[in-house]
Amino acid sequence: MISKAPLAPWMFSPEISTPMSQLQIVEEIIREKIFRHLNQELPFSVTQENIGWTELQDGKLRIDQALIVRKPNHKAIVIGKGGRTLYSIYYEAKRDIQAALGRAVVLQLEVKYREKSPTEEM
């Protein structure tokens, strides 16, 4: 394939590992953990909302994310018995986010139930 590729200038400099923003990277990591820990169609109905992105004085990054579910019973499933499912998502996501960003993070995940708004049903 390389021999058939046309010669062209590189789209990104060698210093750039991805065109994604740090927020997009964080959201993708959390989404991957949701898919890993939840079964069947439920992960497809969980959406994420960035609540906060704060640089702390000690050099850490505080990230607050809401995991939005569309059915009341899904909230309990995402949280899991004794909070185990949410903790697993949090723990693995925090570990991978710190590795991806190369810095310590304070990660806050909150599960919220929210019905679809009329504009989303169109």
Side-chain angles (χ1 to χ4, degrees):
M1 290 177 70
I2 292 176
S3 66
K4 296 189 186 277
L7 292 176
W10 291 99
M11 291 180 66
F12 301 102
S13 72
E15 295 81 32
I16 297 176
S17 60
T18 178
M20 295 171 61
S21 70
Q22 287 186 343
L23 176 58
Q24 290 171 319
I25 292 169
V26 166
E27 289 175 337
E28 284 298 316
I29 290 171
I30 294 170
R31 187 172 297 113
E32 184 260 331
K33 303 310 174 195
I34 291 168
F35 273 84
R36 184 175 303 274
H37 290 282
L38 300 174
N39 294 320
Q40 299 173 14
E41 77 283 346
L42 182 58
F44 294 100
S45 66
V46 177
T47 57
Q48 293 169 248
E49 184 177 292
N50 187 54
I51 303 298
W53 186 276
T54 309
E55 300 280 342
L56 302 177
Q57 289 182 350
D58 61 3
K60 293 179 183 174
L61 174 64
R62 180 183 168 117
I63 302 167
D64 295 89
Q65 288 268 314
L67 307 178
I68 313 296
V69 295
R70 300 296 185 195
K71 294 182 180 178
N73 63 327
H74 287 176
K75 184 174 179 179
I77 294 169
V78 173
I79 294 171
K81 186 175 183 178
R84 288 188 200 119
T85 304
L86 183 59
Y87 180 78
S88 295
I89 293 167
Y90 154 81
Y91 179 79
E92 292 176 18
K94 180 178 176 179
R95 179 195 63 209
D96 291 358
I97 291 167
Q98 289 182 143
L101 301 183
R103 64 191 292 192
V105 298
V106 176
L107 179 63
Q108 297 291 317
L109 298 179
E110 178 182 2
V111 182
K112 294 182 178 182
Y113 161 68
R114 185 182 303 149
E115 291 183 17
K116 287 185 178 182
S117 66
T119 57
E120 290 178 300
E121 293 176 355
M122 291 184 199

